[in-house]
Amino acid sequence: MNNFRTHCLLTLVIPAIITLSADSTVQAQLSREVREKFESMLDDLDIGTRAQFQRALDNNTPVVELTPKQFRQFRNHPVNPFEIDDIDPDDLDGNIELRFELPSIRNRPVQPYERQSRSLRRNLRDVIGSTASSTVRITDGNQQIAFGTIVQKDGMILTKASELDLNKKIYCQLGPNRTYQAEVIRTNTENDLALLKINAGNLTPVSWSDKQPLNGSFVVIPNELGEVMSVGTYSVVPRSTIGENRALLGVFPQNANTGVVVADEVEPGTAAFAAGLLKGDVITSIDGLAIDEVDELVNEIRKRHAGDEIDIAFLRNGTARTTKAKLAKHNLSGERAARFKMMSRLGAVPSERDSNFPVVFQHDAPIFPEQCGGPICDLQGNVLGINIARESRAASYAIPANHLQTILNEMLRHDVAARSNESR
């Protein structure tokens, strides 16, 4: 096989390097970001290609060996997030070894003008009040696996269950200096919650709020050190995501200089097709609200239901136009569903369990899977709920406070009953 190297871009968001090399003895460890990308693609790939990516996962390597046929299938597959059109397998001999690298999303530098800037988060520290004292950092002894929320002063803590490895020891860090080993008392699979117990007393349990925030209001996420970890907006009121059919406009958007461009052909049968939108149109507003980025378009559509009618302002060849669209059900399947799923997750690290929750509200504060399980507040310091999942680049989910209290009471009741039976 000929030596070949090319620098490519991960579609829309993240720069990547794909190296083709004849030297299979080069050892490289699979980064967390690349591992998560590989895992997110597996279900949608054909059997042969999936086996090659699974082998790379099993061997903890970013090198994937494909036959020319498999390479062509992967290159053209809608779930493939890498731009590799400039690689021609006919120019190479034998199988092709692809080595994937991604810069760490977690370590991306935040610019001073961004919402997540250090100065803005520092200015909001007073907002979280005592909530930081109710927040714990959960680790496996080496790295963070989740946040937790203290719910009783005698050491009871709620967290996200699917981030825990029940075969390993679990530790809870309270502030900078106190660490306790935790016991898993009970889990609630339906809501992906786990109740932990540490041998500590006189803790500060979270004080739940009964307030219903307005859409668009700010939310903040504290860590155990009293810092504001992330800032976002309250996007969608509590709802179930079990078997959810979301509203769908039916376009594949990309950021443009002004607004959001329709980046692909609009297919018949979609709301966008019925509204007369075409590839190349630039959407500038929805119902009078300015749309400057893809995330804003996605959030506005997700706030609505199938059957809702929206006013769309857009540019076609520089000329301002308007149209109305009646949103359809989000019932994509096959390749279009795979591509939509891939595009919505670029620039984010979604949770392993990111859907099928009985009740959650949506916000856009960026978090990573290992940052779920802790409380989320409004700007008055009211605790609105517990973060339960990162779903996509534009959406995080949290279980609202009133629902959590019902779940917690049920989990505690079962715990008391179990301990009573053990003492007999």
Side-chain angles (χ1 to χ4, degrees):
M1 183 171 63
N2 297 331
N3 289 338
F4 188 76
R5 171 169 289 194
T6 183
H7 291 266
C8 303
L9 291 177
L10 179 61
T11 306
L12 298 181
V13 179
I14 308 169
I17 299 172
I18 302 175
T19 303
L20 282 72
S21 173
D23 185 4
S24 60
T25 64
V26 176
Q27 297 295 317
Q29 194 170 41
L30 188 63
S31 70
R32 183 170 183 169
E33 284 74 21
V34 175
R35 172 176 290 278
E36 287 161 347
K37 286 298 175 189
F38 283 5
E39 290 174 340
S40 71
M41 296 187 297
L42 286 181
D43 290 342
D44 298 300
L45 297 175
D46 63 272
I47 294 176
T49 308
R50 180 167 66 244
Q52 297 302 91
F53 278 92
Q54 185 61 60
R55 183 174 291 111
L57 287 167
D58 294 341
N59 294 332
N60 195 33
T61 175
V63 177
V64 179
E65 182 177 343
L66 301 176
T67 66
K69 180 180 178 181
Q70 289 172 336
F71 174 82
R72 292 187 186 93
Q73 291 174 332
F74 175 68
R75 180 182 62 187
N76 299 325
H77 200 290
V79 80
N80 166 33
F82 300 96
E83 292 181 349
I84 51 179
D85 292 341
D86 55 346
I87 302 175
D88 187 350
D90 294 334
D91 294 337
L92 307 169
D93 298 327
N95 291 348
I96 303 166
E97 288 185 350
L98 298 168
R99 184 174 184 270
F100 296 83
E101 297 177 0
L102 293 174
S104 175
I105 300 175
R106 290 174 173 81
N107 296 326
R108 183 187 73 83
V110 177
Q111 303 302 320
Y113 57 81
E114 294 185 58
R115 180 191 290 178
Q116 306 306 322
S117 68
R118 183 184 300 273
S119 60
L120 175 60
R121 290 185 288 114
R122 186 169 54 241
N123 290 336
L124 292 173
R125 288 188 66 168
D126 291 343
V127 166
I128 57 179
S130 63
T131 307
S133 300
S134 304
T135 306
V136 302
R137 182 173 181 259
I138 300 175
T139 78
D140 60 4
N142 295 309
Q143 62 182 2
Q144 180 171 339
I145 55 177
F147 277 116
T149 305
I150 298 172
V151 292
Q152 286 192 343
K153 64 180 181 180
D154 62 352
M156 290 291 192
I157 296 168
L158 271 182
T159 189
K160 180 174 171 67
S162 60
E163 293 298 323
L164 307 179
D165 186 343
L166 301 183
N167 296 317
K168 295 182 178 180
K169 292 181 179 180
I170 300 169
Y171 300 91
C172 292
Q173 294 183 358
L174 283 66
N177 301 317
R178 292 189 293 167
T179 300
Y180 300 87
Q181 186 171 337
E183 176 188 2
V184 178
I185 299 297
R186 191 167 182 83
T187 59
N188 181 298
T189 303
E190 184 181 30
N191 295 277
D192 197 19
L193 288 169
L195 183 63
L196 309 181
K197 178 69 169 67
I198 60 175
N199 291 323
N202 201 29
L203 303 182
T204 304
V206 69
S207 179
W208 303 113
S209 171
D210 59 359
K211 296 183 180 298
Q212 175 67 50
L214 297 175
N215 280 356
S217 58
F218 282 102
V219 293
V220 295
I221 300 172
N223 64 18
E224 83 285 3
L225 300 175
E227 302 166 336
V228 173
M229 187 182 67
S230 184
V231 181
T233 55
Y234 186 92
S235 306
V236 182
V237 298
R239 71 186 193 279
S240 171
T241 63
I242 297 175
E244 182 181 69
N245 274 324
R246 295 179 184 148
L248 177 69
L249 178 58
V251 298
F252 286 112
Q254 288 186 0
N255 289 329
N257 291 333
T258 57
V260 173
V261 66
V262 179
D264 206 349
E265 298 293 339
V266 180
E267 292 198 357
T270 63
F273 185 86
L277 292 176
L278 301 174
K279 180 180 178 180
D281 288 346
V282 179
I283 298 172
T284 57
S285 74
I286 299 289
D287 287 342
L289 298 171
I291 300 297
D292 297 316
E293 297 180 349
V294 169
D295 290 356
E296 294 174 347
L297 175 64
V298 172
N299 272 331
E300 287 306 314
I301 298 301
R302 283 186 171 179
K303 292 176 184 178
R304 292 157 172 83
H305 303 285
D308 288 351
E309 191 172 69
I310 59 173
D311 294 316
I312 302 175
F314 65 99
L315 301 175
R316 179 173 294 168
N317 299 323
T319 302
R321 299 192 178 197
T322 60
T323 187
K324 291 183 180 291
K326 186 175 182 180
L327 299 176
K329 286 185 177 180
H330 189 295
N331 56 359
L332 292 179
S333 60
E335 288 192 349
R336 285 183 64 82
R339 184 176 178 188
F340 187 90
K341 176 182 176 182
M342 178 273 293
M343 291 180 70
S344 71
R345 293 189 168 199
L346 288 175
V349 182
S351 299
E352 182 176 348
R353 163 84 183 272
D354 65 354
S355 61
N356 291 319
F357 298 107
V359 182
V360 289
F361 66 82
Q362 181 181 315
H363 62 89
D364 64 1
I367 54 177
F368 293 107
E370 68 273 17
Q371 294 171 337
C372 292
I376 179 170
C377 312
D378 62 17
L379 291 188
Q380 287 71 50
N382 301 306
V383 180
L384 306 175
I386 286 178
N387 285 305
I388 200 62
R390 181 63 168 173
E391 193 268 342
S392 67
R393 64 180 178 182
S396 300
Y397 291 147
I399 301 177
N402 58 349
H403 188 59
L404 280 167
Q405 292 176 78
T406 301
I407 300 169
L408 177 60
N409 289 337
E410 183 71 9
M411 295 175 82
L412 290 172
R413 184 176 66 82
H414 281 285
D415 177 56
V416 170
R419 291 175 183 270
S420 177
N421 289 332
E422 290 173 0
S423 64
R424 289 178 182 175

